[in-house]
Amino acid sequence: MLQRQLNVILLRFRFSHTPESPLVSSASPEFTLRAVVLGLFIGCLLCFTNLYFGLQTGWISMYGVTLHPHVWSFTHFHRMSLQSAIIGFLICKLLAVPITPQENVVIQTTAVATGTMPLAAGFVGIIPALSLLDEQKDGSRPITLTWTSAVCWSCAVAYFGVFMSPPIRKKVIIEEKLAFPSGTATAQVISVLHKMPSTNSGLRARHGYSPLNLQDEEPPCLPDPVDDSQDPEIEASEVVQHEGWSALTWSFLASGSLTLAAYFFPVIFVLPLFGGYLARQWLWTFTPSLSYVGQGIIMGFPTTLSMNLGMLVGWGILSPLSKHYNWAPGPVGWILWTSLAIMSSDSLVALIPVAWEYASKLIKKHDVDGHRSDSDLDDETDDRLVPTRWVLWGIACSTAAGILVVWLVFGGEGIKPWATAISFILGSILSILGVRALGETDLNPVSGLGKISQLIFAVLQPGNVVANIIAGGVAEAGAQQAGDLMQDLKTGHLVGASPRAQFYGQLIGSTLSIPVTVTAFILYSKAYTIPGPTFPAPTAYVWLSLARLLRDGSLPEQCAVFMVSFAIVFALISAFKTHASRRGLWYAKWIPSGVAFAIGFLNTPSFSLARLVGGIIEHIYHTRVASKGKSDDIRLIVIASGFVLGEGVMSIMLLVLRTFGVGVVSCWGCGSGMCGGCPA
């Protein structure tokens, strides 16, 4: 009888778990040296990888992973959290080092905090933009940061978002219970890897399925024993343990080898699609990079399809049109403005329902009689939470230090201290909006939030391009960091990891990422021209172009007409997509994404086409090849991660070769200016 009651309790625990309750006991080891060291190691690899791809395409490894629709229906996975968790698990299995699920959370949290600095500190956007300044156009000479000044700048923006996360966590995760689909998906994978009770029952309940009724007087009949090999979670865990490391190794080596070959023979990555003329004049080439293919797999078919639709419109229609009518001398600059209008319109429209709901809830909260409800009570003990005094002192000190450091680095002529203070305040407000958008839609509209800050500072410090760019960067950094870290806190909440342990990992990861990111950027800057053929840094032109527009108000001929037209069209599309997504309609993911569409404008066709190949592979694999199991999803994620990391890690070796003067073997087939490794 006792055994039967114990089995009933265990069965009920498995089926009654919801995403808002921890999966395991808090007594498990969490913040350990091995977890932090492994997280830092993975994060440093991500840091180089994100900087490498960010300077190439402006779209770093914060992509959406489309998991099998019969298992996890989530898209737009970001920051390689899931990949970090799987790689950390694989390394521990290889070294025969046992880790707990909570340690796995600390690994991926630390890795993400380390790897996100290239974007949070603006090394793929605002830092290259400052180096493009022209004294005649912008009233300021180009600003090139030294190693020391770049470290100081990074310190100014590295911690504000970290200290903002704990109070926002209580609001959006504990009280409002926002979904944060990517964080939930990562928790599901960790639960699979460690054979924990699945979070799927809670998700099924949210989507209309009824979990086991705990009020039943009679205990349910226990199922007959089944073969463990038929359990999809055990199967998935076994796949990762037995096949995952092999798949990761081979995909890593394949991608790295192809990257090394393309370094010595650059034409490999610049294959003309429609002849030499279109390749030279209109940049219609194909880059058979396995890392791009892996990114396409991770992003999913709908996102890559949106990106390539934008590429076709931008590079196949608008660029030739502008050149034909003499609106612009070349293919890039003119369509950049239309891309900016699309991104801003899409991001801002997506924010409207989030801001409206947030304001409505604030009003309703003030209308109640002042009593606190149970919904705002945390399920963690005080010793596992981040103390409020730490948060207050951290926000105050990071803001004060940030204001001082920005003034020391850029001087009073760049941005006034009072303006920097306003940018931090604005960043905290935008962080809340960005986090809420991320929690509901799984998309952090940082590009639109940064543009809001630039618009505001066009009024506060008119005519100052440097101040406009820096203020936008400060505000965007806070929103970016707070959003990235909130997904990890959602994962930790589901898996039962201590928020304080994750907070420690975030602080340590953010600290180490500063010298790693700065050193990597300085090395890339010395070895390559940034922006240049190898690293075009497209988002740098977005920042600088908007700042220039707000300074003198001039646009290329006929550009305003197309900007307004595309902004209106994608505002309507974004509104329809947001409405369909909130209602859970099946076709919502096939409605074009404005941000992805605009990225297709920013990047040359070579970057988009290879990702489309990956998206097609992902779609065919899930619809025609894979069975309806978690092991298939994890296997594909492992292979895609190996592709991405292979080129990212190999880029470090290529950087060393280029620094020591080791160049290409042959420039055969390269047109003038087409190949980054060959002389023009």
Side-chain angles (χ1 to χ4, degrees):
M1 182 64 179
L2 180 62
Q3 181 63 40
R4 175 177 172 81
Q5 292 298 323
L6 179 61
N7 289 339
V8 169
I9 293 173
L10 292 175
L11 184 66
R12 285 178 172 174
F13 171 77
R14 178 181 178 87
F15 281 93
S16 64
H17 168 73
T18 67
E20 279 63 47
S21 60
L23 288 169
V24 291
S25 169
S26 62
S28 304
E30 299 184 58
F31 187 75
T32 61
L33 179 62
R34 62 192 177 195
V36 173
V37 171
L38 186 52
L40 292 175
F41 170 73
I42 298 173
C44 288
L45 296 181
L46 295 181
C47 198
F48 269 90
T49 301
N50 286 339
L51 181 62
Y52 175 78
F53 291 117
L55 289 173
Q56 280 190 337
T57 67
W59 186 283
I60 70 175
S61 297
M62 299 181 177
Y63 308 104
V65 64
T66 303
L67 302 179
H68 197 283
H70 295 279
V71 184
W72 303 302
S73 301
F74 298 127
T75 58
H76 301 300
F77 187 74
H78 71 317
R79 306 160 359 273
M80 289 191 76
S81 288
L82 187 145
Q83 291 88 335
S84 299
I86 294 176
I87 293 172
F89 180 84
L90 287 174
I91 293 177
C92 289
K93 286 296 180 182
L94 179 69
L95 300 177
V97 177
I99 61 169
T100 65
Q102 292 85 355
E103 285 180 292
N104 209 337
V105 171
V106 172
I107 289 173
Q108 63 98 12
T109 301
T110 306
V112 166
T114 308
T116 196
M117 190 56 62
L119 182 59
F123 285 95
V124 302
I126 68 170
I127 302 301
L130 292 173
S131 69
L132 294 172
L133 292 172
D134 183 273
E135 188 169 10
Q136 184 176 358
K137 292 182 179 179
D138 309 310
S140 175
R141 289 177 295 178
I143 298 176
T144 302
L145 299 183
T146 63
W147 188 90
T148 302
S149 60
V151 166
C152 292
W153 156 255
S154 301
C155 290
V157 297
Y159 302 107
F160 181 71
V162 177
F163 287 105
M164 281 287 297
S165 297
I168 299 178
R169 169 192 176 272
K170 182 177 181 181
K171 177 65 179 174
V172 299
I173 294 179
I174 305 303
E175 296 183 14
E176 300 183 18
K177 299 179 174 62
L178 297 185
F180 288 97
S182 293
T184 303
T186 306
Q188 289 177 317
V189 171
I190 292 176
S191 71
V192 169
L193 297 178
H194 294 271
K195 302 178 183 179
M196 297 164 58
S198 173
T199 64
N200 280 349
S201 56
L203 294 174
R204 285 195 298 268
R206 175 174 294 175
H207 288 86
Y209 294 90
S210 298
L212 183 67
N213 185 2
L214 296 183
Q215 304 302 321
D216 291 339
E217 294 183 2
E218 294 294 331
C221 297
L222 297 177
D224 295 330
V226 296
D227 184 1
D228 283 350
S229 63
Q230 302 302 315
D231 189 326
E233 295 185 0
I234 294 178
E235 176 193 355
S237 181
E238 294 298 325
V239 165
V240 174
Q241 293 185 41
H242 297 145
E243 302 179 21
W245 188 253
S246 176
L248 182 68
T249 301
W250 283 110
S251 59
F252 180 93
L253 292 176
S255 180
S257 300
L258 184 60
T259 305
L260 182 63
Y263 177 80
F264 291 115
F265 302 93
V267 73
I268 293 177
F269 273 5
V270 192
L271 301 178
L273 286 176
F274 307 111
Y277 173 77
L278 289 180
R280 288 189 299 271
Q281 298 298 321
W282 297 99
L283 307 180
W284 278 93
T285 61
F286 178 68
T287 301
S289 164
L290 289 179
S291 69
Y292 292 173
V293 174
Q295 291 168 14
I297 293 173
I298 294 172
M299 293 163 68
F301 184 53
T303 302
T304 57
L305 187 60
S306 295
M307 182 183 296
N308 277 266
L309 287 175
M311 179 267 295
L312 288 174
V313 172
W315 293 87
I317 300 176
L318 296 185
S319 286
L321 191 68
S322 64
K323 181 65 179 294
H324 176 74
Y325 287 102
N326 294 319
W327 297 338
V332 181
W334 194 87
I335 62 173
L336 170 68
W337 291 102
T338 307
S339 171
L340 176 59
I342 294 172
M343 282 194 294
S344 300
S345 173
D346 182 85
S347 300
L348 295 178
V349 169
L351 271 177
I352 291 175
V354 175
W356 176 262
E357 290 185 4
Y358 182 67
S360 300
K361 290 181 179 180
L362 286 179
I363 294 174
K364 291 180 180 179
K365 186 174 182 180
H366 286 294
D367 287 341
V368 298
D369 57 3
H371 296 291
R372 295 171 62 91
S373 64
D374 293 336
S375 64
D376 61 3
L377 298 177
D378 208 334
D379 57 357
E380 297 283 1
T381 56
D382 290 340
D383 63 312
R384 290 167 55 84
L385 293 172
V386 181
T388 303
R389 66 180 184 277
W390 293 9
V391 173
L392 296 178
W393 276 104
I395 293 176
C397 292
S398 62
T399 302
I403 294 171
L404 177 62
V405 168
V406 170
W407 178 71
L408 292 175
V409 171
F410 296 103
E413 295 182 358
I415 182 171
K416 304 296 183 183
W418 61 264
T420 306
I422 292 177
S423 68
F424 275 107
I425 297 173
L426 186 61
S428 64
I429 297 173
L430 296 179
S431 296
I432 297 174
L433 293 178
V435 166
R436 288 189 54 82
L438 190 66
E440 296 186 7
T441 67
D442 214 27
L443 178 64
N444 193 348
V446 291
S447 59
L449 297 177
K451 305 306 172 286
I452 292 175
S453 181
Q454 284 189 278
L455 291 173
I456 293 175
F457 271 84
V459 178
L460 296 178
Q461 280 198 266
N464 193 327
V465 173
V466 176
N468 190 279
I469 294 174
I470 294 173
V474 170
E476 187 182 73
Q480 178 67 52
Q481 264 196 319
D484 287 349
L485 303 182
M486 202 58 56
Q487 292 276 24
D488 297 327
L489 291 173
K490 178 69 174 184
T491 301
H493 178 63
L494 296 179
V495 178
S498 163
R500 187 179 295 191
Q502 290 185 269
F503 178 75
Y504 292 152
Q506 291 167 352
L507 283 178
I508 294 173
S510 297
T511 301
L512 180 65
S513 68
I514 293 172
V516 172
T517 302
V518 172
T519 302
F521 181 78
I522 295 296
L523 291 176
Y524 279 125
S525 300
K526 290 182 178 180
Y528 300 91
T529 300
I530 299 176
T534 303
F535 297 111
T539 53
Y541 292 100
V542 175
W543 283 99
L544 183 58
S545 297
L546 181 58
R548 284 175 173 173
L549 174 64
L550 296 173
R551 181 175 188 262
D552 55 34
S554 62
L555 279 172
E557 185 180 356
Q558 295 298 321
C559 205
V561 175
F562 284 87
M563 287 179 67
V564 172
S565 300
F566 274 87
I568 293 174
V569 169
F570 274 91
L572 297 175
I573 292 176
S574 178
F576 181 54
K577 185 178 180 69
T578 301
H579 174 72
S581 299
R582 286 170 171 264
R583 296 193 61 182
L585 301 178
W586 66 270
Y587 56 80
K589 68 177 182 179
W590 298 107
I591 301 173
S593 163
V595 173
F597 191 91
I599 290 293
F601 280 46
L602 292 180
N603 294 319
T604 58
S606 61
F607 293 116
S608 300
L609 289 170
R611 288 174 172 82
L612 180 62
V613 172
I616 293 173
I617 291 174
E618 180 271 334
H619 182 69
I620 294 176
Y621 184 85
H622 280 142
T623 56
R624 302 291 180 86
V625 179
S627 61
K628 299 176 182 180
K630 299 177 182 178
S631 59
D632 298 303
D633 290 301
I634 295 178
R635 184 187 291 111
L636 188 62
I637 293 169
V638 168
I639 294 173
S641 301
F643 284 158
V644 174
L645 290 175
E647 183 168 332
V649 174
M650 182 57 66
S651 70
I652 304 174
M653 297 181 60
L654 302 185
L655 179 61
V656 174
L657 293 177
R658 193 172 182 88
T659 302
F660 284 96
V662 180
V664 303
V665 173
S666 173
C667 289
W668 177 85
C670 289
S672 177
M674 285 174 51
C675 302
C678 292

Coordinates of all heavy atoms in Angstrom, one line a residue, residues 52 97 134 208 216 228 274 281 402 425 447:
Y52 N 32.7 37.8 -35.0 CA 33.1 37.5 -36.4 C 31.9 37.6 -37.3 O 31.9 38.3 -38.3 CB 33.7 36.1 -36.4 CG 34.0 35.5 -37.8 CD1 35.1 35.9 -38.4 CD2 33.1 34.6 -38.3 CE1 35.4 35.4 -39.7 CE2 33.4 34.0 -39.6 CZ 34.6 34.4 -40.3 OH 34.9 33.9 -41.5
V97 N 32.5 14.0 -16.0 CA 32.3 14.8 -14.9 C 30.8 15.0 -14.7 O 30.1 15.6 -15.6 CB 32.9 16.2 -15.1 CG1 32.6 17.1 -13.9 CG2 34.5 16.1 -15.2
D134 N 32.9 61.5 -40.5 CA 33.6 62.4 -41.4 C 33.4 63.9 -40.9 O 32.3 64.3 -40.6 CB 33.0 62.3 -42.8 CG 33.7 63.2 -43.8 OD1 33.3 64.4 -43.9 OD2 34.6 62.7 -44.5
G208 N -4.5 24.4 -23.5 CA -5.9 23.9 -23.5 C -6.0 22.4 -23.1 O -7.1 21.9 -23.1
D216 N -8.8 14.2 -7.5 CA -9.5 12.9 -7.7 C -9.4 12.1 -6.4 O -8.4 12.0 -5.7 CB -8.8 12.1 -8.8 CG -9.1 12.7 -10.1 OD1 -10.0 13.5 -10.3 OD2 -8.3 12.4 -11.1
D228 N 12.3 1.3 -21.5 CA 12.9 2.7 -21.4 C 13.4 3.1 -22.8 O 13.4 4.3 -23.1 CB 14.2 2.7 -20.5 CG 13.7 2.8 -19.0 OD1 12.5 3.0 -18.8 OD2 14.6 2.6 -18.2
F274 N 25.5 34.6 -61.5 CA 25.0 34.9 -62.9 C 26.1 35.6 -63.7 O 25.8 36.5 -64.5 CB 23.8 35.8 -62.8 CG 22.7 35.3 -61.8 CD1 22.5 35.9 -60.6 CD2 22.0 34.1 -62.2 CE1 21.5 35.4 -59.8 CE2 21.0 33.6 -61.3 CZ 20.8 34.2 -60.1
Q281 N 29.5 44.0 -60.1 CA 28.8 45.3 -60.0 C 27.6 45.2 -59.0 O 27.3 46.2 -58.3 CB 28.2 45.6 -61.4 CG 29.2 45.9 -62.4 CD 30.1 47.0 -62.1 OE1 29.7 48.1 -61.6 NE2 31.4 46.9 -62.4
G402 N 29.2 54.6 -15.2 CA 29.0 54.7 -16.7 C 29.0 56.1 -17.2 O 29.6 56.4 -18.2
I425 N 18.6 56.3 -18.1 CA 17.2 56.3 -17.6 C 16.3 55.8 -18.8 O 15.4 54.9 -18.6 CB 16.7 57.7 -17.2 CG1 17.5 58.1 -16.0 CG2 15.2 57.7 -16.9 CD1 17.2 59.6 -15.6
S447 N 16.6 46.9 -32.1 CA 16.9 47.8 -33.2 C 15.9 49.0 -33.2 O 16.3 50.2 -33.3 CB 16.8 47.1 -34.6 OG 15.5 46.6 -34.8

